[in-house]
């Protein structure tokens, strides 16, 4: 009798849609609150350094003199403390996750041209 | 005279993704004694109070365990809030309760799946985990994370669930409850499943009491004790009784956990009906001074937090005693006299979490 109970579930699964998604043809849609990665709208940033002070992992460095803002994405734990503390609200949390990489990189944005440094 | 031999079990074993080592003393196929060794994945998280201030330590506490991460964060936050005499808003208390119960549901479903996997019923394992996936999706929808939620802070919660979201969750839980009723018939009535679970690994009420067992492991030996009754978060406003069984074997532990899933869904319903509107956090000023001892009922049992603060932003000490640690002596007792083939199931029935045991 119990075998038949489970057979019902199995038959249902056999004739229903698969539970998984055909990735990468169909990319994932993230819910609006997903904590993916941090982006800085650097034009609005005043380089006050509050985000760097609040960050529990020390992932953010702010250089006021050079007007640059850097983040070590592989140290960031996506807690969102920096987003909450930013007085200019120029930091935001984007839904997609940090891109995979072979080496730990530091992403730097400046109010002058954008550059990407690599550090091991 | 039967032959005595020692069989090493673990630290890497297919039934357990985490490392624990047991030396099993066997007489033929019968286990006469089991000697555990732990400490393979010690991470020194308690030492981090010297580096992370008391607000940042919430994130460390959450990372003690990936399954009860919400409750670890909450237990730590409530301890510090009690030291600082901060009264969090009622809505935050209810949110904590809802997220706690969602954690319990997903942890118990995960355990049921692992159990099915351990006795080789793969499709039952897949079916259980598919159901667990829905809870993880709800977590992602409400907190933004599937494993680490980062919604606890000292003084309340960092995110709110609006009432529409809660209503949506309730309808998912209603569907889940219906599907689960079908699924648990197989766990409780199937003869193949029963033959692995029934009359295996008895722990009497007295043994459970003497060896300090906690959680569903203790309750399935007939002790009616649940630390949720001590009244943290919004539990004092909800109506529930600890779920127990008098049998004390593996089947009883499965049965108790299954009934706890339904109880958790009921508690979420009660909390959703009573949740008040309003703020979800209060500002917290100053530094904690004093000490507090807190008990939290995690899916696996009672966890203890001890926090000692000295009036600066760094704490003196954070001590966590996790449920698996308390359940190890009971587990070793259940193994005496069992067959070697039952050892993996017996280890599983305490729902071990080695990463929180070793922190
Ligand atoms: S807190 Fe905001 S404004 Fe200040 S440095 Fe960080 S990103 Fe810039
Ligand atoms: S999300 Fe958290 S860890 Fe990441 S940069 Fe911001 S404060 Fe630091």
């Amino acid at each position: 009798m119990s075998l038949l109970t489970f057979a019902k579930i199995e038959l249902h699964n056999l004739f229903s849609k698969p539970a998984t998604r055909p990735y990468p043809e169909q990319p994932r849609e993230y819910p609006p609150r997903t904590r993916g990665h941090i982006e800085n709208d650097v034009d609005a940033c005043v380089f006050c350094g509050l985000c760097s002070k609040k960050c529990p992992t020390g992932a953010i460095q702010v250089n006021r003199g050079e007007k640059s803002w850097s983040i070590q994405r592989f140290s960031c734990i996506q807690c969102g403390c920096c987003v909450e503390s930013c007085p200019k609200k120029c930091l935001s949390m984007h839904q997609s996750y940090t891109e995979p990489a072979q080496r730990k990189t530091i992403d730097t944005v400046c109010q002058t041209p954008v550059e990407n440094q690599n550090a091991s | 005279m039967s032959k005595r031999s020692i069989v090493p079990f673990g630290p890497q074993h297919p039934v357990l993704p985490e490392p624990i080592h047991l030396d099993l003393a066997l007489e033929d196929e019968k286990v006469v004694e089991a000697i555990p060794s732990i400490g393979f994945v010690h991470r020194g998280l308690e030492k981090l109070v010297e580096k992370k201030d008391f607000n940042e330590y919430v994130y460390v506490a959450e990372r003690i365990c990936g399954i009860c991460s919400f409750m670890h964060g909450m237990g730590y936050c409530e301890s510090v809030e009690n030291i600082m005499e901060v009264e969090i808003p009622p809505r935050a208390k209810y949110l904590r309760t809802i997220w706690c119960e969602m954690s319990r549901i997903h942890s118990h479903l995960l355990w049921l799946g692992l159990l099915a996997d351990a006795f080789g019923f793969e499709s039952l394992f897949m079916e259980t985990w598919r159901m667990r996936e829905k809870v993880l999706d709800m977590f992602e929808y409400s907190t933004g994370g599937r494993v680490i939620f980062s919604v606890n802070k000292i003084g309340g919660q960092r995110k709110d669930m609006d009432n529409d979201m809660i209503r949506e969750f309730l309808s998912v839980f209603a569907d889940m409850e219906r599907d689960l009723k079908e699924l648990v018939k197989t766990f409780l009535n199937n003869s193949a499943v029963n033959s692995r679970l029934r009359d295996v690994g008895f722990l009497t009420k007295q043994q459970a009491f003497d060896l300090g067992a906690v959680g569903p492991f203790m309750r399935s030996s007939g002790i009616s004790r649940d630390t949720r009754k001590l009244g943290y978060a919004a539990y004092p406003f909800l109506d529930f009784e600890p779920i127990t069984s008098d049998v004390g074997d593996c089947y009883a532990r499965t049965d108790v956990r299954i009934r706890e899933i339904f109880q958790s869904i009921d508690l979420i319903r009660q909390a959703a009906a009573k949740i008040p509107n309003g703020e979800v956090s209060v500002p917290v000023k100053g530094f904690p001074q004093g000490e507090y001892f807190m008990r939290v009922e995690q899916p696996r049992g009672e966890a203890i937090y001890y926090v000692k603060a000295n009036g600066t932003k760094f704490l003196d000490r954070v001590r966590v005693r996790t449920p698996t640690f308390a359940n190890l002596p009971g587990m070793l007792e259940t193994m005496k006299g069992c067959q070697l083939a039952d050892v993996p199931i017996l280890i599983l029935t305490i729902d071990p979490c080695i990463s929180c045991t070793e922190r």
Side-chain angles (χ1 to χ4, degrees):
Chain A
M1 145 115 194
S2 55
L3 206 63
L4 281 182
T5 316
F6 202 72
K8 209 166 79 187
I9 296 176
E10 297 225 311
L11 278 176
H12 175 258
N13 286 343
L14 204 60
F15 296 109
S16 56
K17 278 201 322 200
T20 48
R21 213 168 356 97
Y23 182 83
E25 281 81 36
Q26 188 189 329
R28 169 124 204 258
E29 275 178 31
Y30 296 101
R33 287 189 182 180
T34 300
R35 291 177 283 115
H37 71 273
I38 298 284
E39 286 292 337
N40 187 4
D41 173 14
V42 76
D43 293 332
C45 178
V46 292
F47 304 99
C48 62
L50 266 182
C51 53
S52 136
K53 278 200 198 82
K54 285 277 178 177
C55 176
T57 60
I60 299 178
Q61 291 87 40
V62 178
N63 190 325
R64 183 176 276 211
E66 291 175 8
K67 289 196 184 277
S68 72
W69 182 93
S70 332
I71 181 166
Q72 288 170 286
R73 297 215 181 272
F74 290 86
S75 298
C76 171
I77 55 169
Q78 279 92 24
C79 63
C81 282
C82 51
V83 179
E84 275 178 20
S85 65
C86 177
K88 291 304 217 184
K89 298 288 162 231
C90 59
L91 287 180
S92 53
M93 185 72 86
H94 285 230
Q95 271 84 50
S96 61
Y97 296 131
T98 306
E99 299 261 309
Q102 288 183 324
R103 279 191 297 162
K104 289 187 176 178
T105 53
I106 302 176
D107 286 354
T108 306
V109 281
C110 305
Q111 268 183 350
T112 40
V114 180
E115 57 182 83
N116 252 332
Q117 288 173 6
N118 284 340
S120 45
Chain B
M1 165 121 181
S2 50
K3 188 171 167 253
R4 264 211 177 204
S5 47
I6 306 281
V7 171
F9 183 95
Q12 301 298 333
H13 190 275
V15 82
L16 273 180
E18 296 173 285
I20 180 170
H21 177 83
L22 295 174
D23 279 318
L24 302 171
L26 302 184
E27 266 177 14
D28 293 337
E29 282 285 298
K30 207 170 87 183
V31 179
V32 284
E33 201 181 359
I35 303 152
S37 31
I38 53 175
F40 293 93
V41 285
H42 183 65
R43 292 167 291 164
L45 292 184
E46 286 175 3
K47 178 86 175 159
L48 276 177
V49 277
E50 293 170 14
K51 288 248 177 75
K52 304 280 171 202
D53 73 38
F54 74 101
N55 280 314
E56 290 171 352
Y57 198 80
V58 181
Y59 303 110
V60 180
E62 279 197 330
R63 279 157 180 80
I64 290 175
C65 169
I67 312 292
C68 352
S69 69
F70 182 82
M71 298 196 195
H72 277 298
M74 186 197 76
Y76 169 76
C77 285
E78 292 228 348
S79 310
V80 178
E81 280 157 9
N82 276 301
I83 294 176
M84 299 178 85
E85 291 172 1
V86 173
E87 177 70 22
I88 66 166
R91 188 172 179 89
K93 289 186 181 173
Y94 277 90
L95 287 177
R96 280 185 182 177
T97 309
I98 293 175
W99 275 319
C100 273
E101 291 310 316
M102 279 165 68
S103 300
R104 192 178 317 279
I105 295 171
H106 106 77
S107 173
H108 282 353
L109 285 173
L110 174 133
W111 176 80
L112 280 173
L114 287 179
L115 185 75
D117 186 43
F119 50 64
F121 202 149
E122 291 299 321
S123 45
L124 190 57
F125 157 67
M126 293 286 182
E127 198 61 37
T128 322
W129 277 37
R130 176 150 76 178
M131 211 167 278
R132 169 179 176 254
E133 199 62 24
K134 287 187 188 166
V135 188
L136 292 189
D137 284 344
M138 283 190 266
F139 264 124
E140 187 172 16
Y141 201 70
S142 56
T143 68
R146 294 169 72 81
V147 177
I148 302 288
F149 309 123
S150 298
V151 280
N152 279 307
K153 72 173 181 186
I154 292 163
Q157 297 304 101
R158 297 175 62 202
K159 288 199 176 94
D160 193 3
M161 279 194 259
D162 59 39
N163 292 338
D164 288 343
M165 195 189 280
I166 296 177
R167 259 195 301 279
E168 226 170 273
F169 287 180
L170 286 183
S171 75
V172 179
F173 279 124
D175 289 349
M176 252 176 77
E177 202 174 20
R178 199 190 52 231
D179 295 346
L180 201 61
K181 275 187 188 143
E182 285 287 309
L183 197 65
V184 298
K185 280 184 200 160
T186 311
F187 273 105
L188 299 179
N189 303 337
N190 184 295
S191 56
V193 176
N194 273 228
S195 67
R196 293 304 306 272
L197 298 178
R198 275 203 197 267
D199 303 331
V200 181
F202 279 106
L203 188 76
T204 62
K205 187 173 182 178
Q206 191 60 39
Q207 281 171 333
F209 187 79
D210 291 345
L211 297 170
V214 293
F217 187 49
M218 164 192 73
R219 287 194 284 277
S220 49
S221 292
I223 300 178
S224 171
R225 193 186 289 164
D226 192 326
T227 27
R228 285 178 284 180
K229 282 280 178 198
L230 295 180
Y232 58 92
Y235 289 111
F237 315 117
L238 305 180
D239 179 30
F240 69 101
E241 284 305 320
I243 286 176
T244 58
S245 163
D246 290 330
V247 186
D249 61 355
C250 288
Y251 181 84
R253 284 165 221 149
T254 313
D255 182 34
V256 164
R257 285 202 177 90
I258 286 173
R259 283 190 282 145
E260 282 192 8
I261 300 178
F262 291 110
Q263 184 189 43
S264 292
I265 295 177
D266 179 52
L267 284 173
I268 292 175
R269 256 190 221 122
Q270 288 186 37
K274 288 185 177 171
I275 189 166
N277 290 327
E279 290 298 309
V280 292
S281 66
V282 288
V284 176
K285 293 258 172 341
F287 300 127
Q289 174 142 37
E291 55 187 343
Y292 195 77
F293 179 92
M294 162 113 197
R295 295 158 77 192
V296 173
E297 184 74 20
Q298 286 184 342
R300 294 171 171 82
E302 168 191 330
I304 293 173
Y305 294 84
Y306 167 72
V307 176
K308 185 161 188 251
N310 54 12
T312 66
K313 71 175 184 171
F314 292 105
L315 300 172
D316 268 350
R317 181 92 170 94
V318 173
R319 167 90 182 110
V320 186
R321 206 281 322 259
T322 55
T324 306
F325 190 74
N327 279 339
L328 283 180
M331 178 188 85
L332 299 177
E333 188 61 35
T334 59
M335 279 185 190
K336 287 182 185 156
C338 80
Q339 294 293 308
L340 177 61
D342 289 331
V343 170
I345 299 272
L346 280 177
I347 295 181
L348 266 187
T349 51
I350 71 159
D351 197 0
C353 176
I354 308 301
S355 71
C356 56
T357 308
E358 306 186 349
R359 299 175 298 287

